[in-house]
Amino acid sequence: MIKTTSLRYSYNFEKEISFKDLLIEKGEQFLLLGESGSGKTTLLHLLGGLLKSQRGNIEVGGTDIANLSESNLDRFRGKHYGFIFQRNHLIQALTVEKNLLMAPFLAGLDQDSARIDDVLEQLGIGEKKHSRIQDLSLGQAQRVAIARAVLNKPAIIIADEPTSALDDKNCDKVSDLLISVAQQNNATLIIATHDQRLRSKISNLIQL
Amino acid sequence: MNLVLLVFSYLKARLLNTLLNILLLSLGIAVITVLLLFSNQLKEKISDNTKGIDLVVGAKGSPLQLILCNIFHIDFPTGNIKLNEAERLAKHRLVKSAIPLALGDSYQNFRIVGTNTAYADLYQAELASGVWWVSDLEVVVGAAAAEILKLKVGDTFESAHGLSKEGHAHAENPFVVRGVLKKLNSVIDNLILTNVSSIWKVHEEHDSINVEKVFSDTSILVPTIAAGDSTKEITSLLIKYRNPIAAIQLPRYINTQTNMQAASPAFEAARLFSILGVGVQALNGFAYVLIFISALSIFIALYNSLKERKYDLAIMRSMGASRTKLVVATQLEGITLTLFGSLIGMALGHGVLYLFTAFVAESQKTGISATIFYKEELFLFGGSLLLGIICSLIPSFQAYRTDIHKVLAGN
């Protein structure tokens, strides 16, 4: 599913980070571990097509995303990826439902209201469909962010510190949901984290 | 979900700011709309009312006053001219036609004009009811005057001297209404028309005896009296030239060779408008300042909210939105504000003018309407949309430049 070869990245052409080659199969779940500044986020953004790679290849499902044009990469991201970040980054001006509808709208897919009900139900926040974002708790908001990431049934889910802002109880719940939702959608899951609480849940590790 | 819905949600999320920006712009647009409607219609009225009148001849004084008094009926007469002098002028070879006007009396602030039916023909006036006057002390009432004074065929009233209600009443010679005119949206709507000799009759001494006489040679201006009568006076003469040469020769002849003065309605109206124009320009300038401030305010609002929304923009990019889509959304936000601002502004402009014409009696006399639309308003509308695009240029460039990696890695 994801294959990288001799991937390197440098900021300001001073310190170059080189990444070891990766091979991740479809449906596999990986934890990306490393100290702050070790290039976790850089690698994650490279894999997610949020950052253009400077050297090396990233093949995703047979497409070399390093060679896609900017607008093609935008489209590719929308169709094949789901992203979750440390903060939920939900759009405050929209309700839960409209936030979720943004995913198929921006990816150019059909907007299916039944699919939203399903996903919210799966994540246990079915009754929050019409809530405003500011009325949600932190854990609920992160679950909405997960719902948004999986709504388009992406092949790859990329999560950057998805649990580090949550307390133990919410961390447990949210990570369990994330893992099971990814499994149900047969999506490849890559979580970058320094949160030791997740180590017990995913055994595949990429150590930077 | 679509871009319009997204933009509206963003605007709704900071409703107060949105309403303030729309209000600010709409005030500027409203002022411009009112001025546009007002000055355009004023120009039209002036040219309508002066149509067919090349020259006004009256007693010496201010030429502008002569025009205001004898064409627009909003000022006092400059004095009287001798009928026999007026007759001589009416027979001049350069004069195609001459209409006498005898002013001085009014009824409830509506001016009574002693003239002949040629004056009514000048404005293509037609009777809505009744007949034209046949003998003295019979009147035909303009549509607006009839409506406000509640006069109908067969009613009688007493005129008062001057142009105010308090003037000396001519109780011994009441007028009788013989006809009412159709509405024409010109100055004639506010007039009460009669023949010239009625005006004389009202002002005659109480003891004078009026004897019907038959003349061998009657006056061409007032057929009921003899030509060359040296005692009678009228207020003015409305003249139409026979040929273009008259425009050069006739005013000079009148102003230098007679005791009367001649004033050109076109020239005096242009002079009047250039005086008014200063005020219109000042108000227009004020409106443009308002619009400039509102544009600045819209720009600042968009710029700030784009900064607040940098995560929204980055996350939308991560979900597949192209740069172009974000630029369009930002532009759409600016345009939506100016679109509503201009629509509300124009509605406000027409509305204010409507209330003004509905409740201010003096404005009804001018015949200005709030329900006329000019093509300049389309330019105003188009300009507002352009303003929206300009205001959102820099913010949409911000949106375009959004670096997904930097924003999302920055937390």
Side-chain angles (χ1 to χ4, degrees), chain B residues 25-59:
Chain B
L25 181 61
S26 64
L27 283 181
I29 299 281
V31 172
I32 289 184
T33 307
V34 168
L35 288 177
L36 183 78
L37 288 174
F38 199 79
S39 62
N40 271 10
Q41 292 191 47
L42 206 60
K43 273 183 198 156
E44 282 169 17
K45 296 287 167 205
I46 286 174
S47 72
D48 277 1
N49 286 329
T50 55
K51 204 165 52 190
I53 304 169
D54 292 326
L55 204 63
V56 180
V57 178

Side-chain angles (χ1 to χ4, degrees), chain A residues 101 104 109-118 151:
Chain A
L101 282 172
L109 303 169
D110 286 340
Q111 298 178 33
D112 182 359
S113 187
R115 169 74 183 152
I116 288 176
D117 292 332
D118 285 352
L151 200 76

Side-chain angles (χ1 to χ4, degrees), chain B residues 232-284:
Chain B
K232 302 288 189 206
E233 291 181 331
I234 59 172
T235 308
S236 66
L237 212 51
L238 308 180
I239 283 175
K240 190 161 178 56
Y241 296 145
R242 184 171 295 282
N243 56 39
I245 298 166
I248 306 159
Q249 294 188 351
L250 204 54
R252 199 168 51 195
Y253 162 72
I254 294 165
N255 287 330
T256 57
Q257 308 287 312
T258 71
N259 283 327
M260 303 176 284
Q261 72 157 338
S264 152
F267 180 79
E268 295 303 326
R271 206 160 68 92
L272 177 67
F273 215 80
S274 73
I275 297 168
L276 286 177
V278 177
V280 170
Q281 273 170 5
L283 276 171
N284 247 331

Side-chain angles (χ1 to χ4, degrees), chain B residues 132-153:
Chain B
W132 290 101
W133 65 82
V134 181
S135 51
D136 290 353
L137 296 176
E138 292 179 347
V139 299
V140 168
V141 185
E147 190 184 328
I148 294 168
L149 298 174
K150 299 189 172 52
L151 286 176
K152 53 185 189 303
V153 176

Side-chain angles (χ1 to χ4, degrees), chain B residues 246-322:
Chain B
I248 306 159
Q249 294 188 351
L250 204 54
R252 199 168 51 195
Y253 162 72
I254 294 165
N255 287 330
T256 57
Q257 308 287 312
T258 71
N259 283 327
M260 303 176 284
Q261 72 157 338
S264 152
F267 180 79
E268 295 303 326
R271 206 160 68 92
L272 177 67
F273 215 80
S274 73
I275 297 168
L276 286 177
V278 177
V280 170
Q281 273 170 5
L283 276 171
N284 247 331
F286 170 69
Y288 282 114
V289 168
L290 267 181
I291 289 177
F292 176 74
I293 292 172
S294 80
L296 208 62
S297 167
I298 289 173
F299 163 70
I300 292 168
L302 281 177
Y303 187 83
N304 281 337
S305 65
L306 259 277
K307 264 200 271 185
E308 283 165 25
R309 272 186 234 155
K310 65 175 185 177
Y311 291 113
D312 290 13
L313 292 169
I315 204 85
M316 283 193 255
R317 286 292 310 278
S318 83
M319 289 196 287
S322 61

